[in-house]
Amino acid sequence: MSQLEKMEFDEDKFVTLLGKLVGEAKFLQNNPPELVPVEDRSARHVLEVLEPLSVEQGGPLLLQHVSFVEGRGNIIVQYPGQPGGGVISFVGAHMDVVTANPETWTFDPFALKVDGDKLQGRGVTDCLGHVALLTELFRQLAVTKPQLRPTVLGCFIANEENATLTGIGVDELVKRGLLDSCKQGPLYWLDTADSQPCIGTGGIAAWQLTAHGKLFHSGLPHKAVNPIELAMDAVAEMQRRFYQDFAPHPEEARYGFATCSTLKPTQWSYPSGSINQIPGSATICGDMRVTPFYDVEEVIAKVRGYVDDMNAHPDSLAKGQRGPYSKYELPDEELKGRLELKIFDNVGKGVACNLESKGFKALVEAFTEVLGDCKPYSITGSLPCIRDLQEAGFDVQTLGFGKLAAYHANNEYGYLSDFKKGFQVLVALMQKYQEAVAA
């Protein structure tokens, strides 16, 4: 038996810590300006477990509580290996959560509910369960004291749920060089689900399309430019051209993406008015999810071009499918319908993990050893920061042990047995990477 194999997952300690973390979740919700998380409320429970095992108190762990904004700290913990032995790091276990409305849950989202193997509460899957898991991993390292070649580094981060704010979490840690040592080996981003490696994510660009027409009585449609119809036809044309220009990429099959790149509407709004009144404007919002094999900025530029073309010839959209009197130009009035496209600021890039790295190969071996197989998957959901980490020179791989079906959902849940297996995967991962480095 190797020294690492002596590490055992303590279910009681894990559940106790997770209960404390979920109990803080009301104050960890990230939706500013209304809800600004105070990650130090979760950090204090992690430090309560790890500080007695720190070098300052005679243990092996090196601990840093790093804050750039008051109350919103990050934790870096290291279990030292041998000089020149490299680093294996676990980053991404974030201490903030998405919002939860108690009125739409069947139980209190801010109190851990334990029902046999099922653990329920805000943050169990995303991502307080991983905070508790990573804490238990380092507690066990400190207690069993295995002799390892690589240093093991863990980073509990702030502000993962709101990538539009910078200078708080992992972006600032990287900027200040506090994670530079992680470039000496694989960086495992611990923030996905379903107990398999996630090897690809999508980029995102959210958009708003406003159609400007002419308000008029609905009994005289030939005197109006109907912005609702214009908006619908414009989105249909955007989609038609988008799927021509950004058809399924050959690499998407290799990475197992569930979908190709997509452009779709998700919200609709228009000014209030009488039902017998054609409004003067209508707005559709949506997003583009872009696989990492296309450049998001190039996609945005193409979509802007679609809208420019439609603005130049709006009546080209009116092809009779909406009846003979729906038109987007009124020549007698020298009036044309107009489209206005806005791209929101939270543009993000997708990531395709390096499938040839020692870190990925160790990941496959660890999952196969513990679970019997390894089935990597990819989705066009977005994970903020990880493409930036990859571009900064980190070998980013991603994994997680919550449930994808519960991600950001009402009645969020995960399973204790999954986190226990996750612990075993992380232990096997350290062993496999140590063997790869020694080879």
PDB file of all heavy atoms in Angstrom, residues 328-350:
ATOM      1  N   TYR A 328     -41.343  46.249 -44.324  1.00  0.00           N
ATOM      2  CA  TYR A 328     -40.383  46.892 -43.431  1.00  0.00           C
ATOM      3  C   TYR A 328     -39.846  48.194 -44.022  1.00  0.00           C
ATOM      4  O   TYR A 328     -38.921  48.792 -43.485  1.00  0.00           O
ATOM      5  CB  TYR A 328     -39.247  45.921 -43.095  1.00  0.00           C
ATOM      6  CG  TYR A 328     -39.764  44.622 -42.494  1.00  0.00           C
ATOM      7  CD1 TYR A 328     -39.219  43.397 -42.827  1.00  0.00           C
ATOM      8  CD2 TYR A 328     -40.830  44.638 -41.596  1.00  0.00           C
ATOM      9  CE1 TYR A 328     -39.704  42.218 -42.284  1.00  0.00           C
ATOM     10  CE2 TYR A 328     -41.328  43.477 -41.047  1.00  0.00           C
ATOM     11  CZ  TYR A 328     -40.769  42.264 -41.404  1.00  0.00           C
ATOM     12  OH  TYR A 328     -41.266  41.105 -40.863  1.00  0.00           O
ATOM     13  N   GLU A 329     -40.451  48.619 -45.115  1.00  0.00           N
ATOM     14  CA  GLU A 329     -40.143  49.920 -45.699  1.00  0.00           C
ATOM     15  C   GLU A 329     -41.451  50.579 -46.125  1.00  0.00           C
ATOM     16  O   GLU A 329     -42.343  49.921 -46.665  1.00  0.00           O
ATOM     17  CB  GLU A 329     -39.232  49.785 -46.917  1.00  0.00           C
ATOM     18  CG  GLU A 329     -37.848  49.259 -46.620  1.00  0.00           C
ATOM     19  CD  GLU A 329     -36.939  49.315 -47.840  1.00  0.00           C
ATOM     20  OE1 GLU A 329     -36.963  50.348 -48.541  1.00  0.00           O
ATOM     21  OE2 GLU A 329     -36.210  48.341 -48.083  1.00  0.00           O
ATOM     22  N   LEU A 330     -41.576  51.891 -45.887  1.00  0.00           N
ATOM     23  CA  LEU A 330     -42.712  52.694 -46.345  1.00  0.00           C
ATOM     24  C   LEU A 330     -42.145  53.793 -47.238  1.00  0.00           C
ATOM     25  O   LEU A 330     -41.835  54.905 -46.769  1.00  0.00           O
ATOM     26  CB  LEU A 330     -43.474  53.278 -45.153  1.00  0.00           C
ATOM     27  CG  LEU A 330     -44.071  52.269 -44.155  1.00  0.00           C
ATOM     28  CD1 LEU A 330     -44.701  52.998 -42.978  1.00  0.00           C
ATOM     29  CD2 LEU A 330     -45.077  51.356 -44.840  1.00  0.00           C
ATOM     30  N   PRO A 331     -42.000  53.529 -48.536  1.00  0.00           N
ATOM     31  CA  PRO A 331     -41.337  54.492 -49.435  1.00  0.00           C
ATOM     32  C   PRO A 331     -42.012  55.852 -49.462  1.00  0.00           C
ATOM     33  O   PRO A 331     -41.326  56.885 -49.555  1.00  0.00           O
ATOM     34  CB  PRO A 331     -41.418  53.795 -50.807  1.00  0.00           C
ATOM     35  CG  PRO A 331     -41.554  52.342 -50.487  1.00  0.00           C
ATOM     36  CD  PRO A 331     -42.363  52.276 -49.228  1.00  0.00           C
ATOM     37  N   ASP A 332     -43.355  55.863 -49.391  1.00  0.00           N
ATOM     38  CA  ASP A 332     -44.057  57.147 -49.440  1.00  0.00           C
ATOM     39  C   ASP A 332     -43.687  58.037 -48.260  1.00  0.00           C
ATOM     40  O   ASP A 332     -43.780  59.269 -48.347  1.00  0.00           O
ATOM     41  CB  ASP A 332     -45.568  56.931 -49.467  1.00  0.00           C
ATOM     42  CG  ASP A 332     -46.034  56.288 -50.772  1.00  0.00           C
ATOM     43  OD1 ASP A 332     -45.234  56.288 -51.738  1.00  0.00           O
ATOM     44  OD2 ASP A 332     -47.179  55.780 -50.808  1.00  0.00           O
ATOM     45  N   GLU A 333     -43.294  57.421 -47.171  1.00  0.00           N
ATOM     46  CA  GLU A 333     -42.923  58.194 -45.972  1.00  0.00           C
ATOM     47  C   GLU A 333     -41.409  58.249 -45.781  1.00  0.00           C
ATOM     48  O   GLU A 333     -40.935  58.806 -44.789  1.00  0.00           O
ATOM     49  CB  GLU A 333     -43.572  57.572 -44.729  1.00  0.00           C
ATOM     50  CG  GLU A 333     -45.096  57.516 -44.783  1.00  0.00           C
ATOM     51  CD  GLU A 333     -45.711  56.930 -43.518  1.00  0.00           C
ATOM     52  OE1 GLU A 333     -45.155  57.219 -42.428  1.00  0.00           O
ATOM     53  OE2 GLU A 333     -46.708  56.203 -43.626  1.00  0.00           O
ATOM     54  N   GLU A 334     -40.699  57.661 -46.733  1.00  0.00           N
ATOM     55  CA  GLU A 334     -39.242  57.581 -46.637  1.00  0.00           C
ATOM     56  C   GLU A 334     -38.822  57.012 -45.281  1.00  0.00           C
ATOM     57  O   GLU A 334     -37.928  57.516 -44.598  1.00  0.00           O
ATOM     58  CB  GLU A 334     -38.594  58.953 -46.873  1.00  0.00           C
ATOM     59  CG  GLU A 334     -38.850  59.507 -48.268  1.00  0.00           C
ATOM     60  CD  GLU A 334     -38.134  60.818 -48.505  1.00  0.00           C
ATOM     61  OE1 GLU A 334     -37.588  61.394 -47.523  1.00  0.00           O
ATOM     62  OE2 GLU A 334     -38.108  61.288 -49.655  1.00  0.00           O
ATOM     63  N   LEU A 335     -39.490  55.925 -44.899  1.00  0.00           N
ATOM     64  CA  LEU A 335     -39.269  55.323 -43.583  1.00  0.00           C
ATOM     65  C   LEU A 335     -38.888  53.851 -43.760  1.00  0.00           C
ATOM     66  O   LEU A 335     -39.520  53.122 -44.531  1.00  0.00           O
ATOM     67  CB  LEU A 335     -40.529  55.449 -42.726  1.00  0.00           C
ATOM     68  CG  LEU A 335     -40.431  55.046 -41.246  1.00  0.00           C
ATOM     69  CD1 LEU A 335     -41.350  55.908 -40.408  1.00  0.00           C
ATOM     70  CD2 LEU A 335     -40.773  53.570 -41.056  1.00  0.00           C
ATOM     71  N   LYS A 336     -37.864  53.459 -43.045  1.00  0.00           N
ATOM     72  CA  LYS A 336     -37.426  52.068 -43.038  1.00  0.00           C
ATOM     73  C   LYS A 336     -37.366  51.551 -41.604  1.00  0.00           C
ATOM     74  O   LYS A 336     -37.014  52.294 -40.675  1.00  0.00           O
ATOM     75  CB  LYS A 336     -36.023  51.926 -43.636  1.00  0.00           C
ATOM     76  CG  LYS A 336     -35.919  52.188 -45.121  1.00  0.00           C
ATOM     77  CD  LYS A 336     -34.478  51.934 -45.582  1.00  0.00           C
ATOM     78  CE  LYS A 336     -34.321  52.149 -47.079  1.00  0.00           C
ATOM     79  NZ  LYS A 336     -32.920  51.859 -47.521  1.00  0.00           N
ATOM     80  N   GLY A 337     -37.723  50.281 -41.453  1.00  0.00           N
ATOM     81  CA  GLY A 337     -37.461  49.636 -40.168  1.00  0.00           C
ATOM     82  C   GLY A 337     -35.960  49.572 -39.926  1.00  0.00           C
ATOM     83  O   GLY A 337     -35.165  49.502 -40.865  1.00  0.00           O
ATOM     84  N   ARG A 338     -35.589  49.568 -38.664  1.00  0.00           N
ATOM     85  CA  ARG A 338     -34.162  49.609 -38.332  1.00  0.00           C
ATOM     86  C   ARG A 338     -33.853  48.627 -37.214  1.00  0.00           C
ATOM     87  O   ARG A 338     -34.630  48.475 -36.262  1.00  0.00           O
ATOM     88  CB  ARG A 338     -33.767  51.030 -37.918  1.00  0.00           C
ATOM     89  CG  ARG A 338     -32.304  51.212 -37.525  1.00  0.00           C
ATOM     90  CD  ARG A 338     -31.982  52.690 -37.338  1.00  0.00           C
ATOM     91  NE  ARG A 338     -32.828  53.313 -36.325  1.00  0.00           N
ATOM     92  CZ  ARG A 338     -32.549  53.326 -35.016  1.00  0.00           C
ATOM     93  NH1 ARG A 338     -31.449  52.717 -34.565  1.00  0.00           N
ATOM     94  NH2 ARG A 338     -33.371  53.926 -34.165  1.00  0.00           N
ATOM     95  N   LEU A 339     -32.706  47.969 -37.322  1.00  0.00           N
ATOM     96  CA  LEU A 339     -32.250  47.008 -36.314  1.00  0.00           C
ATOM     97  C   LEU A 339     -31.040  47.566 -35.580  1.00  0.00           C
ATOM     98  O   LEU A 339     -30.137  48.138 -36.193  1.00  0.00           O
ATOM     99  CB  LEU A 339     -31.877  45.679 -36.974  1.00  0.00           C
ATOM    100  CG  LEU A 339     -33.010  44.960 -37.712  1.00  0.00           C
ATOM    101  CD1 LEU A 339     -32.445  43.860 -38.595  1.00  0.00           C
ATOM    102  CD2 LEU A 339     -34.020  44.393 -36.714  1.00  0.00           C
ATOM    103  N   GLU A 340     -31.039  47.384 -34.285  1.00  0.00           N
ATOM    104  CA  GLU A 340     -29.934  47.868 -33.449  1.00  0.00           C
ATOM    105  C   GLU A 340     -29.411  46.691 -32.622  1.00  0.00           C
ATOM    106  O   GLU A 340     -30.142  46.104 -31.825  1.00  0.00           O
ATOM    107  CB  GLU A 340     -30.437  48.982 -32.534  1.00  0.00           C
ATOM    108  CG  GLU A 340     -29.397  49.559 -31.608  1.00  0.00           C
ATOM    109  CD  GLU A 340     -29.978  50.617 -30.670  1.00  0.00           C
ATOM    110  OE1 GLU A 340     -31.190  50.907 -30.769  1.00  0.00           O
ATOM    111  OE2 GLU A 340     -29.224  51.121 -29.830  1.00  0.00           O
ATOM    112  N   LEU A 341     -28.162  46.341 -32.851  1.00  0.00           N
ATOM    113  CA  LEU A 341     -27.561  45.194 -32.161  1.00  0.00           C
ATOM    114  C   LEU A 341     -26.608  45.673 -31.078  1.00  0.00           C
ATOM    115  O   LEU A 341     -25.738  46.504 -31.317  1.00  0.00           O
ATOM    116  CB  LEU A 341     -26.791  44.316 -33.157  1.00  0.00           C
ATOM    117  CG  LEU A 341     -26.087  43.090 -32.553  1.00  0.00           C
ATOM    118  CD1 LEU A 341     -27.099  42.070 -32.041  1.00  0.00           C
ATOM    119  CD2 LEU A 341     -25.138  42.464 -33.573  1.00  0.00           C
ATOM    120  N   LYS A 342     -26.770  45.105 -29.890  1.00  0.00           N
ATOM    121  CA  LYS A 342     -25.861  45.380 -28.781  1.00  0.00           C
ATOM    122  C   LYS A 342     -25.256  44.063 -28.315  1.00  0.00           C
ATOM    123  O   LYS A 342     -25.971  43.084 -28.114  1.00  0.00           O
ATOM    124  CB  LYS A 342     -26.595  46.046 -27.618  1.00  0.00           C
ATOM    125  CG  LYS A 342     -25.734  46.269 -26.375  1.00  0.00           C
ATOM    126  CD  LYS A 342     -26.536  46.896 -25.241  1.00  0.00           C
ATOM    127  CE  LYS A 342     -25.681  47.081 -23.992  1.00  0.00           C
ATOM    128  NZ  LYS A 342     -26.453  47.671 -22.871  1.00  0.00           N
ATOM    129  N   ILE A 343     -23.934  44.024 -28.157  1.00  0.00           N
ATOM    130  CA  ILE A 343     -23.249  42.880 -27.578  1.00  0.00           C
ATOM    131  C   ILE A 343     -22.854  43.252 -26.156  1.00  0.00           C
ATOM    132  O   ILE A 343     -22.180  44.260 -25.930  1.00  0.00           O
ATOM    133  CB  ILE A 343     -21.992  42.491 -28.384  1.00  0.00           C
ATOM    134  CG1 ILE A 343     -22.357  42.183 -29.843  1.00  0.00           C
ATOM    135  CG2 ILE A 343     -21.306  41.288 -27.732  1.00  0.00           C
ATOM    136  CD1 ILE A 343     -23.231  40.976 -30.037  1.00  0.00           C
ATOM    137  N   PHE A 344     -23.297  42.465 -25.186  1.00  0.00           N
ATOM    138  CA  PHE A 344     -23.006  42.777 -23.787  1.00  0.00           C
ATOM    139  C   PHE A 344     -21.530  42.532 -23.471  1.00  0.00           C
ATOM    140  O   PHE A 344     -20.818  41.838 -24.200  1.00  0.00           O
ATOM    141  CB  PHE A 344     -23.911  41.963 -22.863  1.00  0.00           C
ATOM    142  CG  PHE A 344     -25.359  42.362 -22.955  1.00  0.00           C
ATOM    143  CD1 PHE A 344     -26.252  41.598 -23.673  1.00  0.00           C
ATOM    144  CD2 PHE A 344     -25.816  43.517 -22.332  1.00  0.00           C
ATOM    145  CE1 PHE A 344     -27.589  41.962 -23.778  1.00  0.00           C
ATOM    146  CE2 PHE A 344     -27.142  43.897 -22.434  1.00  0.00           C
ATOM    147  CZ  PHE A 344     -28.031  43.116 -23.147  1.00  0.00           C
ATOM    148  N   ASP A 345     -21.087  43.081 -22.352  1.00  0.00           N
ATOM    149  CA  ASP A 345     -19.662  43.089 -22.034  1.00  0.00           C
ATOM    150  C   ASP A 345     -19.101  41.737 -21.601  1.00  0.00           C
ATOM    151  O   ASP A 345     -17.897  41.533 -21.643  1.00  0.00           O
ATOM    152  CB  ASP A 345     -19.377  44.110 -20.928  1.00  0.00           C
ATOM    153  CG  ASP A 345     -19.558  45.544 -21.400  1.00  0.00           C
ATOM    154  OD1 ASP A 345     -19.467  45.773 -22.623  1.00  0.00           O
ATOM    155  OD2 ASP A 345     -19.784  46.427 -20.550  1.00  0.00           O
ATOM    156  N   ASN A 346     -19.954  40.836 -21.149  1.00  0.00           N
ATOM    157  CA  ASN A 346     -19.443  39.583 -20.581  1.00  0.00           C
ATOM    158  C   ASN A 346     -19.111  38.545 -21.644  1.00  0.00           C
ATOM    159  O   ASN A 346     -19.547  37.398 -21.592  1.00  0.00           O
ATOM    160  CB  ASN A 346     -20.441  39.003 -19.580  1.00  0.00           C
ATOM    161  CG  ASN A 346     -21.795  38.702 -20.199  1.00  0.00           C
ATOM    162  OD1 ASN A 346     -22.165  39.288 -21.208  1.00  0.00           O
ATOM    163  ND2 ASN A 346     -22.529  37.775 -19.596  1.00  0.00           N
ATOM    164  N   VAL A 347     -18.295  38.959 -22.611  1.00  0.00           N
ATOM    165  CA  VAL A 347     -17.855  38.039 -23.665  1.00  0.00           C
ATOM    166  C   VAL A 347     -16.781  37.122 -23.087  1.00  0.00           C
ATOM    167  O   VAL A 347     -15.854  37.586 -22.425  1.00  0.00           O
ATOM    168  CB  VAL A 347     -17.310  38.809 -24.877  1.00  0.00           C
ATOM    169  CG1 VAL A 347     -16.711  37.858 -25.901  1.00  0.00           C
ATOM    170  CG2 VAL A 347     -18.409  39.660 -25.500  1.00  0.00           C
ATOM    171  N   GLY A 348     -16.922  35.826 -23.313  1.00  0.00           N
ATOM    172  CA  GLY A 348     -15.942  34.871 -22.805  1.00  0.00           C
ATOM    173  C   GLY A 348     -15.537  33.871 -23.865  1.00  0.00           C
ATOM    174  O   GLY A 348     -16.289  33.591 -24.797  1.00  0.00           O
ATOM    175  N   LYS A 349     -14.338  33.343 -23.724  1.00  0.00           N
ATOM    176  CA  LYS A 349     -13.813  32.367 -24.673  1.00  0.00           C
ATOM    177  C   LYS A 349     -14.022  30.946 -24.142  1.00  0.00           C
ATOM    178  O   LYS A 349     -13.985  30.714 -22.939  1.00  0.00           O
ATOM    179  CB  LYS A 349     -12.316  32.598 -24.902  1.00  0.00           C
ATOM    180  CG  LYS A 349     -11.962  33.969 -25.456  1.00  0.00           C
ATOM    181  CD  LYS A 349     -10.449  34.121 -25.548  1.00  0.00           C
ATOM    182  CE  LYS A 349     -10.044  35.499 -26.049  1.00  0.00           C
ATOM    183  NZ  LYS A 349      -8.562  35.645 -26.094  1.00  0.00           N
ATOM    184  N   GLY A 350     -14.195  30.014 -25.068  1.00  0.00           N
ATOM    185  CA  GLY A 350     -14.243  28.614 -24.685  1.00  0.00           C
ATOM    186  C   GLY A 350     -12.839  28.053 -24.540  1.00  0.00           C
ATOM    187  O   GLY A 350     -11.843  28.709 -24.838  1.00  0.00           O
TER     188      GLY A 350
END
